[in-house]
Amino acid sequence: RQLVGELGQGGMGRVFEARRSDGHYEQRSAIKVLRGFSGEAALQQLAHERQVLATLNHPHIARLLDGGTTPGGSPYLVMEHVHGVRIDEHVRQRGLSLEKVLELFLMVCDAVAYAHRHFVVHCDIKPGNVLVDDEGRAKLLDFGIAQLQGRAGSELQGLTPRYASPEQRAGAPATAASDIYS
């Protein structure tokens, strides 16, 4: 894969646009590289996210394509590239009607409900983790701090306080209700 440019960065990593460059076929992807974490803990965090994503196959959740470590030892994930904008920006830019906003909201709800049926709690639902693609479809991204229901979260876990549920801010385990609150 050939890196094209940086798409963005968050609390745990940087995301780059990439293109498959082996000549067999063309494919765009997004590569998430963990930042500020190294060693076994970082590898475990990314392995956790990779495993969570591997269990999810839904039209409104960005697909996992691959993963591994760079030659320098930094862990990474290769994800479906979603060419779009944050859901809140999409709504503002297009001046969407309430009906159209609710259609997007239902797409996100469908994705979250699907994750919950697979015992996955996203734990960081916020506008920056929902993109709307060129066809007007919402896509849920970034399962980096997701938890499997009934299991403890990761030691690298972080959250966005503005969108976190009261129980998450208090340090209690996240539940499906936490995602619904967000």
Side-chain angles (χ1 to χ4, degrees), residues 10 28 43 53 68 79 108-109 125 127 129 182:
R28 293 173 66 189
L43 292 174
L53 286 168
M79 304 292 303
V108 176
C109 290
I125 297 174
N129 285 340
S182 296

Side-chain angles (χ1 to χ4, degrees), residues 56-168:
L56 303 177
N57 182 15
H58 189 275
H60 299 296
I61 296 175
R63 290 184 332 270
L64 173 70
L65 302 174
D66 200 0
T69 56
T70 66
S74 297
Y76 68 87
L77 291 175
V78 181
M79 304 292 303
E80 163 189 11
H81 179 271
V82 179
H83 187 264
V85 298
R86 290 169 45 127
I87 192 169
D88 56 341
E89 291 175 14
H90 179 81
V91 168
R92 271 194 302 275
Q93 289 172 357
R94 307 238 173 159
L96 296 183
S97 68
L98 178 59
E99 181 179 329
K100 293 294 183 185
V101 171
L102 291 175
E103 286 176 18
L104 288 172
F105 181 70
L106 289 174
M107 290 178 203
V108 176
C109 290
D110 191 43
V112 172
Y114 175 85
H116 291 170
R117 285 192 303 275
H118 288 80
F119 305 106
V120 174
V121 180
H122 187 280
C123 300
D124 197 25
I125 297 174
K126 59 186 179 183
N129 285 340
V130 180
L131 296 183
V132 180
D133 69 15
D134 295 335
E135 284 80 41
R137 294 177 302 227
K139 289 274 191 168
L140 183 59
L141 315 168
D142 197 356
F143 282 75
I145 64 170
Q147 295 179 19
L148 297 177
Q149 290 181 27
R151 296 194 186 166
S154 161
E155 290 181 21
L156 294 178
Q157 189 176 59
L159 54 86
T160 307
R162 181 175 177 194
Y163 298 99
S165 66
E167 63 271 17
Q168 286 177 285

Side-chain angles (χ1 to χ4, degrees), residues 16-53:
F16 299 91
E17 180 181 352
R19 291 200 177 115
R20 186 177 174 113
S21 59
D22 64 4
H24 292 287
Y25 62 90
E26 291 187 27
Q27 181 183 47
R28 293 173 66 189
S29 60
I31 298 179
K32 176 182 179 179
V33 180
L34 283 188
R35 170 182 70 183
F37 301 104
S38 60
E40 190 60 31
L43 292 174
Q44 287 177 355
Q45 176 67 18
L46 207 62
H48 168 75
E49 182 175 2
R50 187 171 52 232
Q51 188 56 51
V52 166
L53 286 168

